[in-house]
Amino acid sequence: KTATQFVRSAPLAQRTRLLELVCLQMACAAVDFSFMRDPASFAKGRFADDDDFDLDEVRLCEPSAFAMAPVANPKTFCEDMKKTGAAPGLMDFKHGTTTLGFVFQHGIIIAVDSRASMGSYIGSQTVKKVIEINDFLLGTMAGGAADCSFWERHLTRLCRLHELRTKERISVAAASKLLANIFFQYRGQGLSCGTMVAGWDKKGPSLYMVDDQGERFKGQRFSVGSGSPFAYGVLDSGYKHDLSLEDAVELGRRAIYHATHRDGASGGVVRVYHVHEKGWTKMIAGEDVNELHWMYAKQKGLLGNE
């Protein structure tokens, strides 16, 4: 019998089910399953059957290696020179930056520059020196960029795990203590970090400074980095707890500018954050210190090249 005759001869109650089975069999017959006979074909690349393709041609396109220094042992050259004393200061790479933070009546102002330097070499003018730990916590970077960035991002993970475990945000004191404990464990092993942790919790605004020796201080205003003496001069002269938000932002911006003007290891752009009871807000995303120089000079009636 044909499929049609077989379905018609079946009882009425079974015809629908038989018709579905016949249709499914016809659909499977229309699909080519021959590729299932050779499962290894799935692992082939698109050039597997191309006789003109040669991997050696690809290897020829690779760039040649960098030439090594013409010395006996390039790998340990710097350390060997340091031990002999022939080049004093060869491995004493000086870091430079300017970061500051202060507490006022409307919260906390955090201001930073954006230059990364190693001695007289300027590596970058666009470094983001504020680590956004969560919606209510900020951290700043001063010292070794890799050390600060890695450990403050690790602190971000720890703070998030605390939230998942306890169902509430971590306090500023607890977050700064976690970072201080980490630095204390690595004390004497070469870490270079001078950080601030600022945020708002149940107790209100809090500002802590944590260094690579594991020391932790709570205060009303801090400045960290090679440009901090210049920033402190402006900060101490203009700081009041009852500053308005606009005046506080301007104080942070002006302090960073003056530090970049006098400190060659600081520069780039000024970034200013405001920490308040609803989180933090980026007040100045990035303002070029060169433009600030001419603006402040004009306000004083100067040319700017005195």
Side-chain angles (χ1 to χ4, degrees):
K1 294 182 179 180
T2 64
T4 304
Q5 293 174 342
F6 183 76
V7 172
R8 287 178 179 176
S9 62
L12 183 62
Q14 300 179 4
R15 287 183 183 179
T16 303
R17 179 59 180 166
L18 288 173
L19 185 59
E20 291 177 355
L21 292 174
V22 170
C23 293
L24 179 60
Q25 184 178 9
M26 294 174 64
C28 291
V31 178
D32 182 13
F33 288 96
S34 60
F35 62 90
M36 295 296 293
R37 299 172 186 169
D38 184 17
S41 61
F42 291 108
K44 290 183 178 180
R46 58 178 180 147
F47 296 111
D49 299 326
D50 190 352
D51 296 333
D52 297 330
F53 183 76
D54 189 0
L55 286 176
D56 293 333
E57 297 179 2
V58 177
R59 295 189 183 98
L60 292 175
C61 297
E62 296 181 356
S64 57
F66 289 104
M68 301 298 292
V71 295
N73 194 345
K75 184 177 180 180
T76 61
F77 172 73
C78 289
E79 290 294 339
D80 294 341
M81 291 296 293
K82 182 178 180 180
K83 292 176 182 178
T84 61
L90 177 66
M91 296 293 289
D92 298 332
F93 299 128
K94 296 178 175 61
H95 307 293
T97 190
T98 305
T99 64
L100 66 86
F102 60 87
V103 183
F104 71 116
Q105 64 176 345
H106 297 299
I108 303 173
I109 290 294
I110 296 292
V112 299
D113 74 319
S114 66
R115 175 175 291 181
S117 60
M118 189 172 65
S120 60
Y121 175 75
I122 298 174
S124 174
Q125 291 277 67
T126 57
V127 176
K128 187 178 180 181
K129 297 184 181 180
V130 176
I131 304 296
E132 298 163 357
I133 299 173
N134 61 32
D135 292 341
F136 288 81
L137 270 177
L138 294 175
T140 65
M141 294 169 41
D147 292 341
C148 293
S149 179
F150 177 82
W151 287 116
E152 290 196 35
R153 292 179 192 281
H154 178 62
L155 177 63
T156 301
R157 293 192 290 269
L158 295 179
C159 293
R160 179 57 179 155
L161 288 173
H162 179 276
E163 288 186 33
L164 295 174
R165 292 190 185 109
T166 64
K167 309 303 180 185
E168 65 178 7
R169 291 195 314 272
I170 192 170
S171 66
V172 185
S176 63
K177 189 64 176 178
L178 286 175
L179 189 61
N181 289 342
I182 293 172
F183 289 162
F184 186 84
Q185 294 174 10
Y186 286 91
R187 187 170 56 173
Q189 299 188 35
L191 280 184
S192 176
C193 297
T195 67
M196 288 182 288
V197 179
W200 194 293
D201 54 24
K202 296 177 180 178
K203 296 182 179 180
S206 296
L207 178 64
Y208 289 84
M209 196 277 284
V210 183
D211 67 12
D212 50 29
Q213 298 301 306
E215 296 178 338
R216 169 176 164 266
F217 307 95
K218 183 178 181 180
Q220 294 295 302
R221 56 187 184 271
F222 292 110
S223 183
V224 186
S226 59
S228 60
F230 309 107
Y232 267 129
V234 177
L235 194 58
D236 290 341
S237 64
Y239 173 77
K240 294 185 296 183
H241 187 270
D242 59 350
L243 287 170
S244 66
L245 177 58
E246 293 76 12
D247 291 341
V249 171
E250 173 58 25
L251 177 61
R253 179 175 71 167
R254 191 169 69 251
I256 293 294
Y257 154 71
H258 280 287
T260 61
H261 183 62
R262 295 297 180 184
D263 176 39
S266 303
V269 300
V270 178
R271 294 189 173 98
V272 180
Y273 285 74
H274 174 218
V275 181
H276 47 83
E277 61 181 348
K278 295 182 180 180
W280 51 260
T281 303
K282 188 182 292 187
M283 304 300 293
I284 299 177
E287 196 165 0
D288 194 334
V289 296
N290 293 323
E291 296 178 1
L292 289 176
H293 173 77
W294 302 111
M295 183 188 77
Y296 286 132
K298 185 178 181 180
Q299 290 177 359
K300 296 176 182 179
L302 302 175
L303 297 176
N305 56 0
E306 289 82 1

